[in-house]
Amino acid sequence: MVSRRELESWLNDYLQVDLISDFIPNGLQIEGTDEIDTIITAVSINLEVIEATVKERAAAIIVHHGLFWKNDEPTIRGYRRKRFKLLLEHDINLFNYHLPLDSHHEIGHNRLILDGLGAELRNASEGERAMGLRGIFKKPVAFTELVENVNRVLETEAQYFHFGKDQIESLFVISGGGRNELEQVTTMDVDAYLTGDAKESTRYIAEEAGINYIYAGHYNTERLGIIELGKRIEKKYDVKVQFVDVENPL
């Protein structure tokens, strides 16, 4: 059992919330019961996650993608009303950690992806996006093998544009919505770029820049960090933590 106040304080401190500017409020988004003995973690808040929380009689939900995004509809109606109603009726705490979880030095998504792929972390070069990370392979990896490893680590079926080297020595990773960062990545000295999504122009830019572009799904590239966060909470406090995996191909 842990108090809401103590859990919130530890999470905010561990994930260094005060040091990161974001476009969604991080930390406690909806206040629920004071005492917490069971926690549900998930990538994104949705009705299925809330219903699973109610079923498990959990007192808190911790997600990477929460409520109250900038420029969202400001009224509580439709699907939003259903979510709020269940959360408030069952006195459920909702915590959200977005960019603090992307960029965390120990359990950030990018760090865990590179670790899973066997790439050694390299310090970011000047101008590289803070939440992205560069990894180096001790021994070059065939591009086809790299894609297979991505699928294994992330439990996904990645898509890709293979316009770069066949042997990969360096990889830059931005989990989630990194499609708009391709322009910047083309100026880096890396053999491949791994992110979650793509857009219509991605193929042409990758081909003309001669870079390998792998997109493995926004959801699947952002599972590792929230799962690991749950393990850290279980280790620190006497609580049960369960990850709810809501399959999402995007």
Side-chain angles (χ1 to χ4, degrees):
M1 185 82 71
V2 61
S3 71
R4 178 188 64 248
R5 190 180 300 275
E6 182 179 354
L7 178 63
E8 179 184 12
S9 177
W10 180 80
L11 285 168
N12 289 351
D13 181 63
Y14 179 61
L15 296 172
Q16 300 179 305
V17 168
D18 292 340
L19 300 181
I20 298 175
S21 177
D22 207 340
F23 36 88
I24 183 172
N26 290 292
L28 183 66
Q29 291 195 333
I30 294 182
E31 181 178 292
T33 185
D34 292 334
E35 298 297 325
I36 297 170
D37 59 1
T38 304
I39 298 170
I40 295 296
T41 60
V43 173
S44 303
I45 191 65
N46 55 66
L47 195 60
E48 186 172 339
V49 168
I50 300 171
E51 288 173 341
T53 306
V54 172
K55 182 179 179 181
E56 294 296 322
R57 298 186 178 183
I61 302 172
I62 304 175
V63 294
H64 179 53
H65 301 134
L67 300 168
F68 311 115
W69 292 87
K70 185 178 179 181
N71 299 325
D72 264 359
E73 170 63 45
T75 60
I76 301 173
R77 56 195 294 178
Y79 75 89
R80 287 188 179 86
R81 178 184 180 277
K82 293 178 182 177
R83 293 178 178 181
F84 276 85
K85 186 172 184 291
L86 266 184
L87 288 167
L88 295 174
E89 277 183 349
H90 294 273
D91 216 9
I92 298 169
N93 293 283
L94 175 64
F95 296 88
N96 168 87
Y97 294 97
H98 184 233
L99 295 186
L101 192 54
D102 282 317
S103 59
H104 195 267
H105 63 286
E106 289 183 340
I107 64 167
H109 301 115
N110 303 316
R111 174 62 185 267
L112 295 179
I113 289 171
L114 288 175
D115 287 349
L117 294 174
E120 292 186 348
L121 184 65
R122 285 290 186 271
N123 292 332
S125 300
E126 185 177 353
E128 288 186 7
R129 183 173 171 178
M131 70 181 68
L133 290 179
R134 179 194 296 258
I136 304 295
F137 296 102
K138 286 185 177 180
K139 181 180 178 182
V141 180
F143 179 76
T144 53
E145 182 181 349
L146 174 60
V147 173
E148 290 173 359
N149 290 338
V150 167
N151 290 338
R152 173 181 52 80
V153 170
L154 300 180
E155 299 179 15
T156 188
E157 289 293 331
Q159 300 184 68
Y160 55 85
F161 298 116
H162 181 21
F163 293 121
K165 296 179 180 178
D166 292 327
Q167 296 293 316
I168 308 302
E169 295 184 39
S170 56
L171 174 69
F172 194 74
V173 179
I174 296 179
S175 67
R179 62 189 182 277
N180 293 325
E181 309 304 321
L182 176 57
E183 191 80 26
Q184 181 179 347
V185 175
T186 61
T187 67
M188 301 176 188
D189 183 22
V190 293
D191 300 328
Y193 176 39
L194 169 61
T195 188
D197 56 8
K199 56 184 178 180
E200 191 270 344
S201 62
T202 299
R203 180 195 185 281
Y204 313 123
I205 297 172
E207 182 176 20
E208 292 164 28
I211 191 170
N212 293 306
Y213 187 100
I214 305 170
Y215 55 113
H218 193 133
Y219 179 88
N220 285 307
T221 57
E222 298 195 319
R223 292 169 72 252
L224 298 182
I226 194 70
I227 291 172
E228 184 59 31
L229 179 61
K231 293 177 181 178
R232 300 291 174 107
I233 295 170
E234 271 193 324
K235 186 176 181 179
K236 183 171 181 62
Y237 297 108
D238 183 24
V239 296
K240 175 186 176 184
V241 181
Q242 177 182 333
F243 176 71
V244 175
D245 200 356
V246 181
E247 185 177 350
N248 189 333
L250 300 179

